[in-house]
Amino acid sequence: MRSPSPALRRVRAQIHAGGVGAYPTEGVWGLGCDPLDSDAIARLIRLKGRGADKGLIVIAAGIDQIQGLVQWPASDSRRAAILATWPGPVTWVMRAAEGLPDLLTGGRRTIAVRITRHPPVINLCHAAGSALVSTSANRSGKPACRRGWQVQRCFGRQLDWFVPGPLGGQRGPSEIRDADSGRVLRAGA
């Protein structure tokens, strides 16, 4: 893997300093921060006007970036079902590892995670050296932003960083499934 661009190195520094920013995902613009930084998560939740009990999705460039966040299902067939959808636009709700911030999990014993195949997010996660929070860029109850200018208009200078780029091929947010049952919790667009 090659070294991140100077712009992504600046974004990495801002993420590690507790910054909150925006980036294009598979289907909508996302807001993100370090998933282990409770202060950054609290700020992101305030920006969205979202309830702290909802929990957040974490997006990663590879399995290695979620290893300390999840507990894998015991069933080989359940693990295989998850891995068959990654990388891709399917988010799985899995048992959370011990000690994660309550703001990340919404106080639950589960966490929603996705391994992306979208190059801008892969590059961002590699530059950050970790998975990132990935919640739609919008004020709670409003439609998710599908254009960078909409993100800038909605959040502007409240963001510490902004990664430009195209959305992936999805027409909306990712599908969400339960890791233990395989049940679809939210249909993808």
Side-chain angles (χ1 to χ4, degrees):
M1 181 178 73
R2 54 179 215 210
S3 177
S5 69
L8 282 179
R9 285 196 299 272
R10 285 190 295 277
V11 168
R12 175 182 57 209
Q14 291 168 328
I15 291 168
H16 291 179
V20 173
Y23 56 94
T25 71
E26 296 92 343
V28 298
W29 275 78
L31 296 179
C33 64
D34 180 337
L36 300 179
D37 186 330
S38 293
D39 292 336
I41 296 169
R43 188 165 153 240
L44 184 148
I45 289 170
R46 282 192 306 275
L47 282 174
K48 281 187 63 95
R50 179 185 172 114
D53 62 340
K54 290 191 173 187
L56 296 161
I57 293 172
V58 173
I59 196 166
I63 300 294
D64 59 313
Q65 291 186 336
I66 64 165
Q67 291 298 13
L69 303 174
V70 302
Q71 297 178 42
W72 288 88
S75 160
D76 288 340
S77 64
R78 292 294 343 129
R79 278 185 292 217
I82 293 166
L83 293 173
T85 66
W86 285 346
V90 178
T91 298
W92 289 90
V93 176
M94 301 172 71
R95 287 185 302 270
E98 295 293 323
L100 296 180
D102 281 345
L103 289 175
L104 180 63
T105 64
R108 295 178 185 81
R109 294 185 176 153
T110 57
I111 185 170
V113 294
R114 176 168 80 252
I115 306 300
T116 186
R117 68 171 167 234
H118 190 47
V121 182
I122 291 170
N123 293 338
L124 177 59
C125 289
H126 281 309
S130 69
L132 295 169
V133 167
S134 185
T135 184
S136 58
N138 62 303
R139 303 285 183 188
S140 188
K142 301 291 183 187
C145 295
R146 292 196 36 88
R147 305 264 190 273
W149 65 264
Q150 292 172 322
V151 176
Q152 294 288 356
R153 186 174 67 190
C154 187
F155 297 103
R157 295 177 194 251
Q158 296 174 297
L159 299 176
D160 301 303
W161 52 271
F162 182 88
V163 174
L167 295 178
Q170 295 295 114
R171 290 189 290 190
S174 65
E175 178 176 282
I176 300 177
R177 295 183 187 178
D178 178 74
D180 289 329
S181 70
R183 185 171 56 96
V184 175
L185 304 174
R186 178 181 79 188

